[in-house]
């Protein structure tokens, strides 16, 4: 099985969290559609059928990848390796 790119996973989780917050503050049809799209993409990427399971698997993936470099050190691409999952 292919493993998703951690950077893409991190971006999706960030977008998912931002949209959830935006919807909680003020419901809008456009944001609801985008949230549904991001949720679906997360589920497909993490091979799950429920967004909560996808978020949990994505968080676990980022935590596992975050342990590879020394904590607090930057990788060659400037990424700290820290999880941004919510």
């Amino acid at each position: 099985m292919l493993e998703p790119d951690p950077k893409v996973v991190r971006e999706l989780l960030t977008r998912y969290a931002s949209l959830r917050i935006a919807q909680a503050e003020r419901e809008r049809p456009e944001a609801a559609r985008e949230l549904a799209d991001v949720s679906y993409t997360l589920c497909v990427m993490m091979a799950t059928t429920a967004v909560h399971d996808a978020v949990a698997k994505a968080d676990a993936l980022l935590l596992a990848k975050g342990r590879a470099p020394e904590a607090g050190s930057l990788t060659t691409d400037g990424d700290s390796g820290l999880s941004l999952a919510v």
Side-chain angles (χ1 to χ4, degrees):
M1 184 165 131
L2 294 176
E3 187 174 275
D5 181 353
K7 287 184 180 181
V8 174
V9 171
R10 189 176 300 116
E11 289 171 9
L12 280 172
L13 284 174
T14 301
R15 189 68 189 138
Y16 174 79
S18 297
L19 288 166
R20 290 283 309 251
I21 291 167
Q23 280 297 91
E25 291 174 350
R26 179 174 165 228
E27 289 190 32
R28 292 179 303 132
E30 312 85 44
R33 278 191 298 277
E34 191 174 350
L35 179 59
D37 289 345
V38 169
S39 298
Y40 174 80
T41 304
L42 265 173
C43 286
V44 170
M45 190 170 284
M46 301 312 299
T48 65
T49 56
V51 72
H52 295 294
D53 294 337
V55 169
K57 285 180 86 171
D59 190 37
L61 172 75
L62 293 177
L63 286 173
K65 292 298 177 182
R67 289 188 189 125
E70 258 185 57
S73 67
L74 294 178
T75 59
T76 56
D77 59 3
D79 184 14
S80 69
L82 299 176
S83 174
L84 296 178
V86 291

